Amino acid sequence: MKATHTLNDVRASPDVVVLAGGVGAARFLRALHLARPDAEVLAIVNTGDDTVANGLHVSPDIDTVIYTLATAIDPERGWGLRDETWTAMQSLARYAAVRPSTSLAPNDWFNLGDRDLATHLYRTARLREGATLEEVTTEIARAWNVPYRVIPMSNHSVETRVTLAEASTASDGHHYPQGQTVSFQEYFVRLKHGVPVSNVAFVGADTATPLGMHELSSATCVVIAPSNPVVSIGPLRALSGVDSTLRERRESVVAISPIIGGAALKGPADRMLRELGHESSALGVARMYAPICGTLVIDTVDAALRPSIEALGMRCIVTDTIMKLPDVARALAETAVAAAATPNMMAPR
Ligand code: FO1
């Protein structure tokens, strides 16, 4: 057991802090555990996707990270638990017929599996009796024997809200006029992120207190996981002090591009980047991260972009970034942490 002497009770700095969204980040964290099983890792997770569904507080990115690290995630969906059943949701359908149209509780389009429900019941009950989201997240991670410290980006509400660039009708018939601003889950799940966006806002980010700031500035390495730069990493960066802390230690911040060959492996990141005026490419991601990140890891298919990325004052590492096989995933994690441990002293241009 490594002796952990902590001076005047300051928490020992972790080796690696990972800024995390959902699926891509969860896979990277599991790969990191394979590569460096003894590393002290803190995952700071986006909570802009959080929602209240059927009266329960759901933290999708936190649950995806915890379930993936516990190897309990459903591999096809990338969210929720494997071997799931949906009896509670099917039983709720009875009440959809009588629910007032003004009711805000999404009853039938945000699916909560029967095993997954336990997490939301526990979290909601603990929050209601005054526990912080950080305390509850720590308890849930411990219950799943997760080897890393997993914390929300804040204990305060930060809500990602998306403005629709066109009118759209959800598969359940609900109509959304052009210009309507909706919750992230209405956009992502009810509208199946099949409608262009004209704006994304993080309501509450200006007053929410970020968590993990001591570790963010003192950890040996910081890795920005391959998550959606707009709606997964964006909310974290919108919190006060996060960007300036990352800028301060830019030389040991490494990001992995979630865009490969101009496309996202999963989800709407590529379309959102274009719709919001960015280039949907590893170079577009580099431009978003250049001020706060000294190294960008991109996929071999994007090797031609390396000179343009380095022209931004970023070190650019070209390697396999599709974490299909454990060996590739482990090698990617090793590459990212090794890069963060050898600082890039070039200034951003
Ligand atoms: N995604 C869906 O596409 N459909 C769902 O019904 C759904 C339910 C759900 C419940 C709990 C949870 O933790 C995640 C859930 N997700 C669902 C995924 C979720 O929308 C995404 O994981 C994130 O918000 C974006 O990464």
Side-chain angles (χ1 to χ4, degrees), residues 28-55:
F28 176 79
L29 284 160
R30 191 173 56 203
L32 180 56
H33 189 54
L34 288 173
R36 299 283 184 94
D38 298 336
E40 294 260 328
V41 175
L42 168 66
I44 303 178
V45 186
N46 167 46
T47 51
D49 296 3
D50 285 20
T51 187
V52 174
N54 297 300

mmCIF file of all heavy atoms in Angstrom, residues 28-55:
data_model
loop_
_atom_site.group_PDB
_atom_site.id
_atom_site.type_symbol
_atom_site.label_atom_id
_atom_site.label_comp_id
_atom_site.label_asym_id
_atom_site.label_seq_id
_atom_site.Cartn_x
_atom_site.Cartn_y
_atom_site.Cartn_z
ATOM 1 N N PHE A 28 -12.224 5.850 -22.701
ATOM 2 C CA PHE A 28 -10.838 6.269 -22.468
ATOM 3 C C PHE A 28 -10.438 5.973 -21.022
ATOM 4 O O PHE A 28 -9.345 5.470 -20.763
ATOM 5 C CB PHE A 28 -10.651 7.761 -22.778
ATOM 6 C CG PHE A 28 -9.261 8.233 -22.442
ATOM 7 C CD1 PHE A 28 -8.195 7.975 -23.302
ATOM 8 C CD2 PHE A 28 -9.000 8.879 -21.234
ATOM 9 C CE1 PHE A 28 -6.902 8.357 -22.982
ATOM 10 C CE2 PHE A 28 -7.710 9.264 -20.897
ATOM 11 C CZ PHE A 28 -6.654 9.004 -21.774
ATOM 12 N N LEU A 29 -11.337 6.249 -20.080
ATOM 13 C CA LEU A 29 -11.019 6.001 -18.661
ATOM 14 C C LEU A 29 -10.763 4.516 -18.410
ATOM 15 O O LEU A 29 -9.849 4.138 -17.679
ATOM 16 C CB LEU A 29 -12.157 6.506 -17.774
ATOM 17 C CG LEU A 29 -12.201 8.031 -17.596
ATOM 18 C CD1 LEU A 29 -13.566 8.483 -17.141
ATOM 19 C CD2 LEU A 29 -11.117 8.487 -16.619
ATOM 20 N N ARG A 30 -11.552 3.676 -19.058
ATOM 21 C CA ARG A 30 -11.330 2.228 -18.862
ATOM 22 C C ARG A 30 -9.980 1.838 -19.468
ATOM 23 O O ARG A 30 -9.208 1.073 -18.881
ATOM 24 C CB ARG A 30 -12.446 1.416 -19.514
ATOM 25 C CG ARG A 30 -12.385 -0.065 -19.082
ATOM 26 C CD ARG A 30 -13.568 -0.835 -19.577
ATOM 27 N NE ARG A 30 -13.670 -0.716 -21.029
ATOM 28 C CZ ARG A 30 -14.812 -0.887 -21.704
ATOM 29 N NH1 ARG A 30 -15.924 -1.134 -21.046
ATOM 30 N NH2 ARG A 30 -14.849 -0.778 -22.998
ATOM 31 N N ALA A 31 -9.650 2.453 -20.620
ATOM 32 C CA ALA A 31 -8.360 2.173 -21.271
ATOM 33 C C ALA A 31 -7.211 2.638 -20.382
ATOM 34 O O ALA A 31 -6.188 1.962 -20.247
ATOM 35 C CB ALA A 31 -8.296 2.874 -22.618
ATOM 36 N N LEU A 32 -7.407 3.783 -19.732
ATOM 37 C CA LEU A 32 -6.365 4.325 -18.851
ATOM 38 C C LEU A 32 -6.113 3.369 -17.686
ATOM 39 O O LEU A 32 -4.968 3.122 -17.284
ATOM 40 C CB LEU A 32 -6.799 5.703 -18.343
ATOM 41 C CG LEU A 32 -5.853 6.454 -17.414
ATOM 42 C CD1 LEU A 32 -4.472 6.641 -18.044
ATOM 43 C CD2 LEU A 32 -6.447 7.804 -17.038
ATOM 44 N N HIS A 33 -7.189 2.757 -17.197
ATOM 45 C CA HIS A 33 -7.030 1.816 -16.076
ATOM 46 C C HIS A 33 -6.250 0.579 -16.523
ATOM 47 O O HIS A 33 -5.437 0.031 -15.775
ATOM 48 C CB HIS A 33 -8.393 1.421 -15.510
ATOM 49 C CG HIS A 33 -8.293 0.629 -14.235
ATOM 50 N ND1 HIS A 33 -7.579 1.077 -13.138
ATOM 51 C CD2 HIS A 33 -8.768 -0.577 -13.895
ATOM 52 C CE1 HIS A 33 -7.635 0.183 -12.178
ATOM 53 N NE2 HIS A 33 -8.349 -0.830 -12.608
ATOM 54 N N LEU A 34 -6.462 0.180 -17.788
ATOM 55 C CA LEU A 34 -5.701 -0.962 -18.329
ATOM 56 C C LEU A 34 -4.226 -0.583 -18.464
ATOM 57 O O LEU A 34 -3.338 -1.355 -18.136
ATOM 58 C CB LEU A 34 -6.238 -1.346 -19.721
ATOM 59 C CG LEU A 34 -7.614 -2.023 -19.792
ATOM 60 C CD1 LEU A 34 -8.041 -2.175 -21.260
ATOM 61 C CD2 LEU A 34 -7.584 -3.380 -19.099
ATOM 62 N N ALA A 35 -3.978 0.667 -18.921
ATOM 63 C CA ALA A 35 -2.598 1.096 -19.198
ATOM 64 C C ALA A 35 -1.830 1.383 -17.919
ATOM 65 O O ALA A 35 -0.669 1.020 -17.777
ATOM 66 C CB ALA A 35 -2.626 2.336 -20.099
ATOM 67 N N ARG A 36 -2.493 2.081 -16.979
ATOM 68 C CA ARG A 36 -1.811 2.496 -15.741
ATOM 69 C C ARG A 36 -2.655 2.107 -14.532
ATOM 70 O O ARG A 36 -3.227 2.951 -13.866
ATOM 71 C CB ARG A 36 -1.596 4.019 -15.758
ATOM 72 C CG ARG A 36 -0.734 4.556 -16.907
ATOM 73 C CD ARG A 36 0.736 4.293 -16.632
ATOM 74 N NE ARG A 36 1.584 4.881 -17.684
ATOM 75 C CZ ARG A 36 2.138 6.095 -17.608
ATOM 76 N NH1 ARG A 36 1.875 6.877 -16.566
ATOM 77 N NH2 ARG A 36 2.921 6.559 -18.576
ATOM 78 N N PRO A 37 -2.744 0.819 -14.190
ATOM 79 C CA PRO A 37 -3.635 0.400 -13.102
ATOM 80 C C PRO A 37 -3.327 1.061 -11.755
ATOM 81 O O PRO A 37 -4.204 1.200 -10.924
ATOM 82 C CB PRO A 37 -3.447 -1.110 -13.018
ATOM 83 C CG PRO A 37 -2.276 -1.438 -13.875
ATOM 84 C CD PRO A 37 -2.050 -0.313 -14.807
ATOM 85 N N ASP A 38 -2.072 1.504 -11.551
ATOM 86 C CA ASP A 38 -1.729 2.093 -10.254
ATOM 87 C C ASP A 38 -1.874 3.610 -10.232
ATOM 88 O O ASP A 38 -1.641 4.243 -9.205
ATOM 89 C CB ASP A 38 -0.276 1.740 -9.896
ATOM 90 C CG ASP A 38 -0.117 0.227 -9.760
ATOM 91 O OD1 ASP A 38 -1.153 -0.418 -9.484
ATOM 92 O OD2 ASP A 38 0.995 -0.293 -9.975
ATOM 93 N N ALA A 39 -2.218 4.207 -11.377
ATOM 94 C CA ALA A 39 -2.287 5.676 -11.403
ATOM 95 C C ALA A 39 -3.474 6.167 -10.582
ATOM 96 O O ALA A 39 -4.536 5.553 -10.571
ATOM 97 C CB ALA A 39 -2.417 6.147 -12.849
ATOM 98 N N GLU A 40 -3.244 7.295 -9.881
ATOM 99 C CA GLU A 40 -4.344 7.976 -9.158
ATOM 100 C C GLU A 40 -5.039 8.858 -10.186
ATOM 101 O O GLU A 40 -4.409 9.798 -10.696
ATOM 102 C CB GLU A 40 -3.749 8.859 -8.061
ATOM 103 C CG GLU A 40 -3.053 8.117 -6.948
ATOM 104 C CD GLU A 40 -3.974 7.998 -5.731
ATOM 105 O OE1 GLU A 40 -4.778 8.915 -5.509
ATOM 106 O OE2 GLU A 40 -3.884 6.963 -5.054
ATOM 107 N N VAL A 41 -6.287 8.557 -10.490
ATOM 108 C CA VAL A 41 -7.009 9.296 -11.539
ATOM 109 C C VAL A 41 -8.266 9.932 -10.958
ATOM 110 O O VAL A 41 -8.994 9.307 -10.181
ATOM 111 C CB VAL A 41 -7.394 8.349 -12.694
ATOM 112 C CG1 VAL A 41 -8.243 9.077 -13.737
ATOM 113 C CG2 VAL A 41 -6.133 7.767 -13.342
ATOM 114 N N LEU A 42 -8.474 11.194 -11.311
ATOM 115 C CA LEU A 42 -9.720 11.886 -10.957
ATOM 116 C C LEU A 42 -10.459 12.183 -12.256
ATOM 117 O O LEU A 42 -9.885 12.806 -13.165
ATOM 118 C CB LEU A 42 -9.430 13.197 -10.222
ATOM 119 C CG LEU A 42 -10.628 14.143 -10.052
ATOM 120 C CD1 LEU A 42 -11.690 13.526 -9.140
ATOM 121 C CD2 LEU A 42 -10.174 15.495 -9.510
ATOM 122 N N ALA A 43 -11.696 11.725 -12.374
ATOM 123 C CA ALA A 43 -12.536 12.046 -13.528
ATOM 124 C C ALA A 43 -13.506 13.151 -13.122
ATOM 125 O O ALA A 43 -14.264 12.992 -12.159
ATOM 126 C CB ALA A 43 -13.308 10.809 -13.976
ATOM 127 N N ILE A 44 -13.413 14.295 -13.821
ATOM 128 C CA ILE A 44 -14.362 15.397 -13.590
ATOM 129 C C ILE A 44 -15.369 15.325 -14.729
ATOM 130 O O ILE A 44 -14.984 15.463 -15.902
ATOM 131 C CB ILE A 44 -13.648 16.761 -13.566
ATOM 132 C CG1 ILE A 44 -12.534 16.778 -12.502
ATOM 133 C CG2 ILE A 44 -14.653 17.877 -13.303
ATOM 134 C CD1 ILE A 44 -11.741 18.087 -12.447
ATOM 135 N N VAL A 45 -16.611 15.063 -14.402
ATOM 136 C CA VAL A 45 -17.596 14.686 -15.416
ATOM 137 C C VAL A 45 -18.640 15.777 -15.665
ATOM 138 O O VAL A 45 -19.140 16.399 -14.721
ATOM 139 C CB VAL A 45 -18.301 13.370 -15.018
ATOM 140 C CG1 VAL A 45 -19.224 12.884 -16.129
ATOM 141 C CG2 VAL A 45 -17.269 12.283 -14.681
ATOM 142 N N ASN A 46 -18.992 15.951 -16.926
ATOM 143 C CA ASN A 46 -20.023 16.900 -17.352
ATOM 144 C C ASN A 46 -21.383 16.542 -16.750
ATOM 145 O O ASN A 46 -21.794 15.385 -16.749
ATOM 146 C CB ASN A 46 -20.123 16.858 -18.884
ATOM 147 C CG ASN A 46 -21.361 17.565 -19.399
ATOM 148 O OD1 ASN A 46 -21.684 18.674 -18.965
ATOM 149 N ND2 ASN A 46 -22.089 16.916 -20.292
ATOM 150 N N THR A 47 -22.088 17.558 -16.260
ATOM 151 C CA THR A 47 -23.453 17.322 -15.751
ATOM 152 C C THR A 47 -24.467 18.217 -16.470
ATOM 153 O O THR A 47 -25.610 18.338 -16.034
ATOM 154 C CB THR A 47 -23.521 17.608 -14.229
ATOM 155 O OG1 THR A 47 -22.961 18.906 -13.979
ATOM 156 C CG2 THR A 47 -22.757 16.565 -13.443
ATOM 157 N N GLY A 48 -24.044 18.800 -17.594
ATOM 158 C CA GLY A 48 -24.969 19.638 -18.362
ATOM 159 C C GLY A 48 -26.101 18.839 -18.988
ATOM 160 O O GLY A 48 -27.150 19.379 -19.331
ATOM 161 N N ASP A 49 -25.889 17.513 -19.115
ATOM 162 C CA ASP A 49 -26.924 16.629 -19.684
ATOM 163 C C ASP A 49 -27.927 16.201 -18.628
ATOM 164 O O ASP A 49 -28.903 15.527 -18.959
ATOM 165 C CB ASP A 49 -26.286 15.332 -20.208
ATOM 166 C CG ASP A 49 -25.339 15.582 -21.348
ATOM 167 O OD1 ASP A 49 -25.125 16.749 -21.691
ATOM 168 O OD2 ASP A 49 -24.811 14.590 -21.890
ATOM 169 N N ASP A 50 -27.671 16.545 -17.354
ATOM 170 C CA ASP A 50 -28.542 16.034 -16.288
ATOM 171 C C ASP A 50 -29.985 16.433 -16.550
ATOM 172 O O ASP A 50 -30.255 17.490 -17.134
ATOM 173 C CB ASP A 50 -28.099 16.554 -14.915
ATOM 174 C CG ASP A 50 -26.847 15.851 -14.399
ATOM 175 O OD1 ASP A 50 -26.130 15.260 -15.236
ATOM 176 O OD2 ASP A 50 -26.579 15.882 -13.180
ATOM 177 N N THR A 51 -30.886 15.585 -16.121
ATOM 178 C CA THR A 51 -32.298 15.871 -16.334
ATOM 179 C C THR A 51 -33.109 15.279 -15.195
ATOM 180 O O THR A 51 -32.625 14.423 -14.467
ATOM 181 C CB THR A 51 -32.770 15.269 -17.684
ATOM 182 O OG1 THR A 51 -34.113 15.701 -17.934
ATOM 183 C CG2 THR A 51 -32.748 13.748 -17.658
ATOM 184 N N VAL A 52 -34.361 15.792 -15.034
ATOM 185 C CA VAL A 52 -35.285 15.156 -14.092
ATOM 186 C C VAL A 52 -36.279 14.393 -14.960
ATOM 187 O O VAL A 52 -37.007 15.003 -15.753
ATOM 188 C CB VAL A 52 -35.990 16.200 -13.216
ATOM 189 C CG1 VAL A 52 -37.053 15.517 -12.336
ATOM 190 C CG2 VAL A 52 -34.970 16.917 -12.328
ATOM 191 N N ALA A 53 -36.275 13.100 -14.873
ATOM 192 C CA ALA A 53 -37.174 12.275 -15.701
ATOM 193 C C ALA A 53 -38.067 11.462 -14.765
ATOM 194 O O ALA A 53 -37.565 10.775 -13.869
ATOM 195 C CB ALA A 53 -36.353 11.333 -16.577
ATOM 196 N N ASN A 54 -39.356 11.619 -14.946
ATOM 197 C CA ASN A 54 -40.318 10.923 -14.073
ATOM 198 C C ASN A 54 -39.991 11.190 -12.606
ATOM 199 O O ASN A 54 -40.022 10.273 -11.777
ATOM 200 C CB ASN A 54 -40.292 9.414 -14.365
ATOM 201 C CG ASN A 54 -40.729 9.148 -15.803
ATOM 202 O OD1 ASN A 54 -41.848 9.494 -16.175
ATOM 203 N ND2 ASN A 54 -39.851 8.603 -16.626
ATOM 204 N N GLY A 55 -39.602 12.462 -12.333
ATOM 205 C CA GLY A 55 -39.364 12.874 -10.955
ATOM 206 C C GLY A 55 -38.004 12.481 -10.409
ATOM 207 O O GLY A 55 -37.679 12.791 -9.271
#
